[in-house]
């Protein structure tokens, strides 16, 4: 009998929704071939190029014509880099989000390992020599830095070079210790996990005593079994403290913890809190960490050496061979959803990952998403609530200001100005929230009605003052404002509306004796800008903060006792069905910055629609009641999370192409499954901004009563649409569970 050839199924990072087959690499014998594990990287010829792919199957029969298959050029790893639960998660994500598996796996790897020459690092690791271990802190009295380095090595046994910064250990101090033969650095390859850490002390500081509500929440969390726990607690109620306790339990059992946080800005404070609490290696994974360091951190997670992994959404794919608990902090945050390419939601994938590992997942927020609230109310999630602020902090008092009756100065009402004035006079800090950067959102000619519009987008240009330029916030175009109206030559053009720069200017004029700090994308570009600002605020000196939603995210501003929300109406007017939910979350999150320490806070919400029922419910009954009403509305309107959406987007330079492709999609859908109350299709309709960056954009909105049916129909639609020649000339995409309808 002839020897059967080995056929390898390979997932490749190409936009094609299929797997590829290759023959075994030349010169390897059967014994070795049989043992090649799934997930191993291979280099393969692909047309004129070579690509790095991943083995996803081995068999003896080919689906395609075996005589035309080419051999794998090279096998790149001896052990797979993506395996177990992470490989399963990639497979799930590929299917659920309708994205090619090869691209999903590639995205899950650190950038360095996406290339054929990328290899796992050997890690430079610091440890004490026997002599060093024999000393005590007294010996370093004259050099605090060496003492700190020595102490860190005593606490952690070894420290990867990449984590020195995290542990505030000075490299020079280590070099000095090395000279004295007290410490040494060694190169460790793919470090095996040190199992002796099991019984090791995981705590570095004594944890806070939990209050009753925190205790109840902690007690509910079951280890070694799958469960999702929605932890709803106002800002400052002590949710993080509950995470820390639950994580300690997992660490004590020798496990790893994976914590997802929304944005980079949030991590410094969170990370320092974990490092202060735990005597185990902590690594960070997010895009502001340099490529090389990110690979080392990823590797530390991969080997199990890192016991706590903190990262942004992509970290849901971070390797952790011994995962014991997962946390998604600020679970409502939009940044967990990727808005292009693989349009995944890290919060939702976290649920799958916890399921694969049979472990608990805690989703925490002061303002849970309607999706999670729904899951909590129908008992798919355990629902835990902390209603009181931890320690002595009191909830802020919230008032709605009727702007129709106010004297307004560049968007800020007299009542607000008076309140700011009183706050500063008391020696306290005030925060002004205005969710628009730049000086003014429009530049207008009041004599003929002309306004500065972007030539590439259907939108007005925003006027910026520092430097004075018109910006399009959608395509990035910039140019100098015209000297006079291009339409009627009127020399006077009027900036209309408020942005952060204008608010800063007005506040500076009104409160000349106090510093005004602006916090937005433009002012916070420098690397340490947020850190420096925090240092200034920590002095507790009276000052004013003015900024965008960057201010709303997780920061502690203990001396801020007054919060002004300049324009609460934006969300009420939004075309997105989640607009009001977002508005409520934003108001509560910003309000949560006030009075976190021992001084009570006040929140003033400016609105031109002060009788809007949602706004009133939010203020008088709180977020929970507000969110429940929204959920009831979604029940009536059959919107998510009651029914399941998918968005098919298309854009092209010529409007007709995109529209036509979507019309074909619509016809295909109607034949696959005729519209009915359980399967509704709308479109093609223009996106909120029909033209952006010189492309015309349209969409189909699909809504299904059954999740599985959506998956099934959309997969068939994708397949059929892919065979249409127009699909090659139009940029189109599928968004499952879209979070942004634009
Ligand atoms: P959240 O994560 O809900 O915003 P945190 O866990 O950050 O809340 O807690 C807010 C503040 O209250 C922190 O300074 C924290 O140290 C403190 N805190 C939390 N729990 C307790 C407790 N049980 N006793 C005393 N202080 C606490
Ligand atoms: Zn004009
Ligand atoms: Zn533009």
């Amino acid at each position: 009998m002839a020897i059967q050839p080995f056929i390898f199924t390979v997932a490749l990072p190409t936009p094609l929704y299929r797997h590829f087959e290759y023959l075994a690499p030349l010169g390897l014998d059967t014994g070795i071939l049989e043992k090649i594990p799934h997930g191993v990287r291979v280099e393969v010829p692909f047309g004129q190029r070579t690509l790095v792919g991943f083995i996803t199957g081995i068999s003896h029969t080919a689906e395609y014509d075996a005589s035309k298959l080419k051999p794998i050029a090279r096998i790149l790893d001896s052990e797979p880099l993506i395996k177990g639960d992470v490989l399963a998660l990639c497979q799930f994500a590929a299917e659920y989000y309708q994205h090619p598996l090869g691209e999903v796996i590639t995205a899950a790897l650190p950038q360095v390992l996406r290339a054929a020459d990328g290899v796992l690092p050997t890690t430079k690791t610091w440890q004490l020599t026997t002599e060093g271990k024999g000393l005590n802190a007294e010996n370093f009295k004259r050099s605090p830095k060496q003492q700190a380095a020595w102490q860190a090595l005593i606490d952690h046994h070894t420290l990867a070079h990449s984590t020195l910064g995290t542990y505030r250990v000075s490299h020079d101090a280590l070099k000095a210790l090395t000279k004295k033969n007290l410490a040494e650095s060694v190169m460790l390859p793919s470090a095996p996990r040190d199992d002796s850490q099991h019984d090791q002390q995981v705590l570095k500081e004594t944890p806070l005593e939990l209050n009753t509500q925190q205790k109840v929440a902690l007690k509910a969390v079951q280890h070694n079994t799958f469960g999702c726990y929605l932890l709803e607690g106002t800002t400052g109620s002590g949710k993080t403290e509950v995470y820390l306790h639950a994580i300690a339990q997992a660490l004590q059992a020798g496990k790893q913890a994976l914590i997802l946080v929304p944005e980079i800005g949030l991590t410094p404070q969170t990370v320092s809190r974990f490092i202060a609490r735990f005597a185990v290696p902590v690594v960070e994974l997010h895009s502001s960490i340099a490529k090389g360091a990110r690979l080392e951190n990823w590797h530390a997670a991969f080997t199990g050496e890192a016991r706590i992994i903190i990262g942004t959404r992509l970290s849901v794919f971070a390797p952790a061979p011994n995962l014991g608990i997962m946390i998604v902090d600020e679970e409502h945050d939009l940044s967990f959803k990727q808005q292009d390419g693989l349009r995944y939601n890290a919060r939702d994938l976290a649920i799958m990952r916890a399921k694969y590992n049979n472990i608990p997942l805690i989703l925490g927020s002061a303002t849970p998403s309607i999706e999670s609230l729904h899951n909590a109310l129908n008992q798919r999630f355990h629902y835990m609530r902390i209603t009181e602020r931890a320690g002595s902090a009191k909830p802020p008092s919230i008032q709605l200001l009727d702007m129709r009756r106010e004297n307004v100065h560049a968007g800020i009402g007299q009542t607000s100005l008076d309140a700011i004035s009183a706050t500063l006079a008391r020696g306290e800090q005030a925060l002004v929230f205005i969710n628009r950067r730049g000086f003014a959102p429009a530049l207008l000619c009041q004599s003929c009605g002309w306004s500065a519009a972007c030539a590439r987008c259907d939108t007005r240009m925003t006027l910026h003052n520092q430097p004075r330029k018109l910006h399009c916030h959608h395509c990035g175009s910039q140019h100098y404002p015209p000297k006079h109206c291009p339409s009627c030559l009127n020399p006077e053009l009027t900036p209309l509306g408020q942005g952060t720069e204008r608010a800063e200017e007005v506040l500076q004029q009104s409160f000349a004796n106090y510093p005004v700090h602006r916090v937005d994308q433009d002012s916070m570009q420098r690397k340490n800008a947020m850190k420096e600002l925090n240092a200034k605020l920590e002095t507790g000196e009276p000052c004013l903060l003015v900024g965008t939603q960057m201010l709303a995210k997780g920061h502690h501003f203990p001396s801020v006792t007054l919060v002004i929300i300049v324009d609460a109406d934006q969300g009420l007017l939004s075309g997105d069905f989640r607009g009001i939910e977002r508005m409520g979350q934003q108001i509560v999150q910003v309000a949560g910055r006030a009075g976190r320490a021992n001084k009570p806070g006040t929140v003033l919400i400016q609105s031109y629609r002060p009788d809007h029922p949602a706004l009133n419910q939010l203020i008088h009954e709180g977020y929970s009641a507000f969110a429940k009403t929204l959920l009831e509305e979604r029940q009536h309107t059959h919107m998510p999370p009651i029914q399941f959406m998918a968005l098919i987007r298309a854009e092209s330079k010529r409007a007709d192409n995109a529209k036509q492709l979507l019309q074909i999609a619509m016809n295909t859908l109607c034949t696959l499954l005729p519209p009915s109350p359980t399967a509704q299709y709308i479109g093609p309709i223009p996106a909120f901004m029909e033209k952006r960056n010189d492309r015309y954009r349209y969409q189909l909105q699909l809504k299904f009563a059954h999740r599985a049916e959506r998956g099934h129909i959309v997969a068939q639609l994708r397949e059929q649409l892919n065979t249409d020649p127009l699909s090659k000339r139009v940029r189109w995409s599928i968004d499952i569970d879209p979070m942004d309808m634009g």
Side-chain angles (χ1 to χ4, degrees), residues 514-582:
Y514 299 94
V516 178
H517 306 290
R518 178 160 59 88
V519 180
D520 57 28
Q521 216 173 303
D522 306 309
S523 71
M524 290 288 128
Q525 258 171 15
R526 273 181 316 105
K527 198 161 176 236
N528 288 319
M530 198 72 209
K531 245 189 211 159
E532 286 163 20
L533 175 66
N534 268 319
K536 281 186 204 146
L537 295 177
E538 266 165 29
T539 63
E541 292 294 312
C543 68
L544 268 162
L545 276 168
V546 51
T548 59
Q549 45 126 15
M550 268 181 116
L551 280 172
K553 301 247 166 136
H555 303 286
H556 295 251
F557 300 128
S559 303
V560 169
T561 57
L562 173 70
V563 170
I564 312 283
I565 294 173
V566 172
D567 180 11
D569 301 335
Q570 264 180 47
L572 302 177
L573 306 169
S574 153
D576 196 312
F577 74 93
R578 287 192 181 85
I580 292 184
E581 175 187 353
R582 297 268 155 68

Side-chain angles (χ1 to χ4, degrees), residues 318-392:
N322 201 13
L323 203 53
I325 190 167
M326 290 174 72
I327 314 277
V328 177
D329 191 25
E330 309 289 355
E331 68 86 30
H332 66 278
D333 199 283
L334 257 192
S335 72
F336 288 119
K337 169 86 180 183
Q338 172 138 322
Q339 308 282 18
D340 55 12
L342 170 62
R343 293 171 165 78
Y344 68 105
N345 190 322
R347 176 199 61 206
D348 298 343
L349 289 182
I351 299 173
M352 291 313 291
R353 184 143 186 212
K355 205 179 263 181
Y356 296 146
N357 285 285
N358 217 19
I359 57 169
L361 164 67
I362 306 180
L363 304 165
S365 176
T367 53
S369 60
I370 307 298
E371 284 81 5
S372 295
L373 184 71
H374 181 54
N375 282 325
L377 292 176
N378 67 21
Q379 268 134 48
R380 232 169 299 165
F381 292 179
H382 304 258
Y383 194 10
M384 321 188 295
R385 299 181 63 187
I386 310 182
T387 49
E388 275 150 28
R389 283 192 163 191
S392 55

Side-chain angles (χ1 to χ4, degrees), residues 461 469-472 476-480:
M461 304 283 278
K469 262 188 169 184
L470 289 166
H471 289 230
C472 172
S477 304
Q478 290 185 17
H479 55 80
Y480 292 105

